[in-house]
Amino acid sequence: ESYCGPVKSVKSADLNQFHFITFVLVSLNAQSHEICFANAGHGPDLYFEAATTSFRTLNASELHEDFRTRQGKKEIRLTLSARDLLVLATEGRIEVRDSNGSMFGVDRLQKLISENQDESAAVTANVLPDARQGFHRRSHPLDDSTVPIIKRNL
């Protein structure tokens, strides 16, 4: 069973048809470097494999549209190799638009992650708000703009 189930049962009483909840639960095994996560958010969830310098898009493991009744998939499990990153962005990060109506997009997010792959997760995460601000030019985004990043250093 998905470990989002208990959260779903607790929060469903607080939600009505016009509200939704975004959350992510992550478990990391420090010995095996296995990550297990469930995301009731909007993604994109990206796995950056350092050895091949390639990205894989992971499907959000829980559906948010009707959090009270819809059944989600089970959590996602993966094992991080050295220098791999797990990027759990919300849609507000990629759907922000510039003055011409162009979207920031997944490609731009992936490019920033790739350019900063040798940096710590904290440094990489700190580059993203500046890039969004330069693209969007507003002091605050119109939607949530969260990007937790997990990186295996060794």
Side-chain angles (χ1 to χ4, degrees):
E1 177 185 20
S2 168
Y3 63 18
C4 285
V7 175
K8 187 181 288 190
S9 66
V10 169
K11 291 305 295 175
S12 63
D14 296 334
L15 301 174
N16 65 38
Q17 65 181 357
F18 301 109
H19 294 92
F20 63 91
I21 186 170
T22 299
F23 73 91
V24 63
L25 298 171
V26 179
S27 171
L28 170 63
N29 182 315
Q31 269 90 31
S32 69
H33 305 287
E34 181 184 58
I35 288 181
C36 176
F37 77 96
N39 189 350
H42 307 277
D45 299 322
L46 302 172
Y47 175 61
F48 176 77
E49 185 177 19
T52 62
T53 63
S54 63
F55 283 92
R56 183 172 51 162
T57 301
L58 307 171
N59 292 324
S61 56
E62 288 286 331
L63 302 172
H64 73 279
E65 288 87 354
D66 188 350
F67 188 73
R68 292 163 291 141
T69 60
R70 289 185 75 171
Q71 294 295 318
K73 301 175 207 168
K74 294 188 183 295
E75 59 267 359
I76 294 173
R77 293 178 180 270
L78 55 93
T79 301
L80 295 178
S81 295
R83 298 179 18 252
D84 288 355
L85 293 114
L86 177 63
V87 181
L88 303 170
T90 58
E91 89 289 358
R93 172 60 62 184
I94 61 162
E95 291 178 355
V96 67
R97 295 182 183 272
D98 67 11
S99 60
N100 296 320
S102 297
M103 203 179 297
F104 188 84
V106 173
D107 291 342
R108 191 172 273 115
L109 176 62
Q110 288 179 342
K111 183 175 187 269
L112 287 167
I113 299 296
S114 293
E115 289 171 351
N116 291 279
Q117 66 180 295
D118 294 326
E119 302 292 344
S120 69
V123 168
T124 301
N126 286 330
V127 166
L128 300 177
D130 292 339
R132 180 199 43 85
Q133 180 69 27
F135 181 82
H136 188 251
R137 304 269 187 227
R138 291 189 184 142
S139 58
H140 297 290
L142 298 175
D143 198 354
D144 62 329
S145 187
T146 305
V147 187
I149 298 174
I150 298 170
K151 181 176 185 176
R152 178 176 171 190
N153 291 319
L154 303 173

